[in-house]
Amino acid sequence: MENKLQIYNTISRKKEVFEPINPPFTGMYVCGPTVYGDAHLGHARPAITFDLIFRYLQHIGYKVRYVRNITDVGHLENDADEGEDKIAKKARLEQLEPMEVVQYFTDRYHANMDQLNVKMPSIEPKASGHIIEQIEMIKKILEKGFAYLSNGSVYFDVKKYNDNYQYGKLSGRVLDDLLSNTRILDGQDEKQNSFDFALWKKAQPEHIMRWPSPWSDGFPGWHAECSAMSAKYLGEHFDIHGGGMDLLFPHHESEIAQSQIANGNEPCKYWLHNNMITINGQKMGKSLGNFITLDEFFSGSHASLEKAYSPMTIRFFILQAHYRSTLDFSNEALQAAEKGLKRLMQGVETLQKLNSSATSSNDISKLSGNCYDAMNDDFNSPIVIANLFEGLRIINGVNDGKESITASDLEILKNLYNTFVFEILGLKNEVENTQFELVDGLMQMILNQRQLAKTNKDYAASDKIRDELIKLGIVVKDGKEGSSWSIE
RNA sequence: GGUAUCGUGGCCGAGUGGCUAGGCACCGGUCUGCAAAACCGGCUACAGCGGUUCGAAUCCGCUCGAUACCUCCA
């Protein structure tokens, strides 16, 4: 099998061997959330996808600088009144300062990401903190003649750009098609062509979030922040740019155009896009109003949810699908993920207690190789998980005395599971460790009492203990060598 | 309408020319005072129709269906 990491590059539409520009250093920029509402399941997908990529790149030895932005300015409400900043609108409704809203939802986003065991990026820049950089970039584009001023706003001249470069090379679009298919919107009359996009937008009087610029008091266009901030922290040409597939056009396409003009080259070498999470076959998204927030998943407080699902269940659910496939949400699918994860975690625990013998009845290194091959093949986490389940058969077999394993193979196996389950997939055991010993001690006492009752054939008493425990959410399992327990 | 992606067993999902993942559910079995859990085993699908090939879920064509984007909708 291929030993090198291959990643699917959206711009070439094929898998390519990953070769960083300046190894072992690797720069990765991912479009982060717009903090004007609670994070929903759709937000979890890119976060977990690029967390997986971040973790794996580090694991195989790259020194990664991972930049994920916070968008806190500049986006318009599509159903809103006139050209109003999303953040500003929410702020007025709730009588809060815009930055207070930003802070509130940023904190909540961080809390959710922490629950999902998503590592913090190396740098998390905010658009509002980089207005100067964005203005400087716009100046450069104006100087080079690829933008024009119109009524205090600055627009990128897509037609001129397309005469010299290729607008649409990332998304596969042809400018002529765009021309004939663009809808009529207000504000369009400021533009020379409907497909031109704003670099700087003059603020309306009611617009609270505004900054001074050479052209007007206003705010930067949607695409400006990512170009400006990625260039600042990763350089004008870096390795990986990621984000959701819905950002392909026009966002990323426009980033390419801006960077090409401002910096003289395309921003990055590899474009990675995660697919959407669907609900009843449809994209889960803010604008469709069919989203379920992460907090609702964790608490089960949503009409579509049959029960609460833990953060690790959500994480495992997402990792069980390849990041470039759509993933369909359903209670059944989540419950399947929940049970599968539990089985996997119990297998990991069993693994720690295994005894070795003189021979191995299984090829452990092959299993290990399979896992790395899967990750090297465009981060194929579902295949990794399938192999880990395959390994479970070995683990349980050894535990049952039906299979054998040598001490060195056992070490490899333990190492493999620790590496992949916890380090790379980023899963964690959700049982609270600090309290575990105490609870376990208490449980042993209780189980001993129950065993005593059973020995005396006082089954009424032993069943009562079991039933009481079930009410507390603790399941007793009677095995060959005594009873054990687990939290449901 | 344009661009792109996709259609896999009851459900979720891998897989790109032969070796026919994995999970959940289901059915058997082991264990057990009973139950549950756990473990073991079983379950052979690839939208339809043509074509290429010794051989196709995998390549090509057509048909049907779905989704995303085409708006500063992140």
Side-chain angles (χ1 to χ4, degrees), chain A residues 38-39 103-113 115 295:
Chain A
D38 275 335
Q103 188 69 53
Y104 177 77
F105 285 115
T106 301
D107 288 349
R108 289 174 68 85
Y109 179 75
H110 284 155
N112 282 157
M113 290 306 114
Q115 285 170 296
D295 282 338

Side-chain angles (χ1 to χ4, degrees), chain A residues 13-159:
Chain A
R13 304 203 182 278
K14 59 185 182 214
K15 288 178 193 168
E16 298 176 11
V17 174
F18 179 64
E19 285 168 341
I21 298 161
N22 295 304
F25 300 98
T26 299
M28 177 163 81
Y29 186 94
V30 174
C31 294
T34 301
V35 280
Y36 67 109
D38 275 335
H40 59 71
L41 187 60
H43 291 103
R45 176 93 113 143
I48 288 171
T49 295
F50 291 101
D51 187 51
L52 173 76
I53 292 172
F54 183 35
R55 287 165 179 270
Y56 189 63
L57 289 174
Q58 289 185 126
H59 174 72
I60 58 177
Y62 291 113
K63 285 186 68 78
V64 187
R65 181 180 291 164
Y66 174 23
V67 180
R68 186 186 64 205
N69 67 298
I70 294 280
T71 296
D72 58 354
V73 296
H75 295 265
L76 301 175
E77 199 81 272
N78 73 331
D79 56 344
D81 341 357
E82 307 291 305
E84 201 175 357
D85 192 307
K86 246 177 207 169
I87 304 291
K89 185 180 184 207
K90 193 85 180 176
R92 246 192 359 214
L93 290 175
E94 298 187 357
Q95 298 295 308
L96 290 167
E97 274 298 317
M99 275 306 173
E100 200 175 349
V101 177
V102 165
Q103 188 69 53
Y104 177 77
F105 285 115
T106 301
D107 288 349
R108 289 174 68 85
Y109 179 75
H110 284 155
N112 282 157
M113 290 306 114
D114 195 46
Q115 285 170 296
L116 290 170
N117 207 22
V118 168
K119 284 187 179 182
M120 277 295 282
S122 321
I123 302 175
E124 191 177 54
K126 287 184 178 179
S128 62
H130 297 77
I131 302 295
I132 292 169
E133 287 83 351
Q134 295 179 70
I135 288 174
E136 289 306 306
M137 183 182 76
I138 296 166
K139 278 186 190 165
K140 276 201 231 171
I141 297 172
L142 273 167
E143 278 165 20
K144 294 187 179 170
F146 282 86
Y148 56 90
L149 188 61
S150 177
N151 194 25
S153 293
V154 181
Y155 293 96
F156 191 89
D157 190 341
V158 172
K159 189 167 186 304

Side-chain angles (χ1 to χ4, degrees), chain A residues 105 304 400:
Chain A
F105 285 115
S304 301
D400 287 355

Side-chain angles (χ1 to χ4, degrees), chain A residues 207-262:
Chain A
H207 202 106
I208 308 171
M209 289 192 118
R210 56 169 67 205
W211 291 265
S213 79
W215 317 289
S216 65
D217 273 12
F219 53 92
W222 175 26
H223 318 301
E225 59 175 283
C226 291
S227 295
M229 296 191 294
S230 62
K232 172 160 183 167
Y233 296 113
L234 298 174
E236 293 177 354
H237 190 59
F238 56 95
D239 299 301
I240 296 172
H241 190 131
M245 241 172 214
D246 51 349
L247 297 177
L248 242 166
F249 190 91
H251 184 53
H252 291 158
E253 194 70 64
S254 301
E255 273 188 53
I256 290 178
Q258 288 171 350
S259 296
Q260 181 65 252
I261 298 306

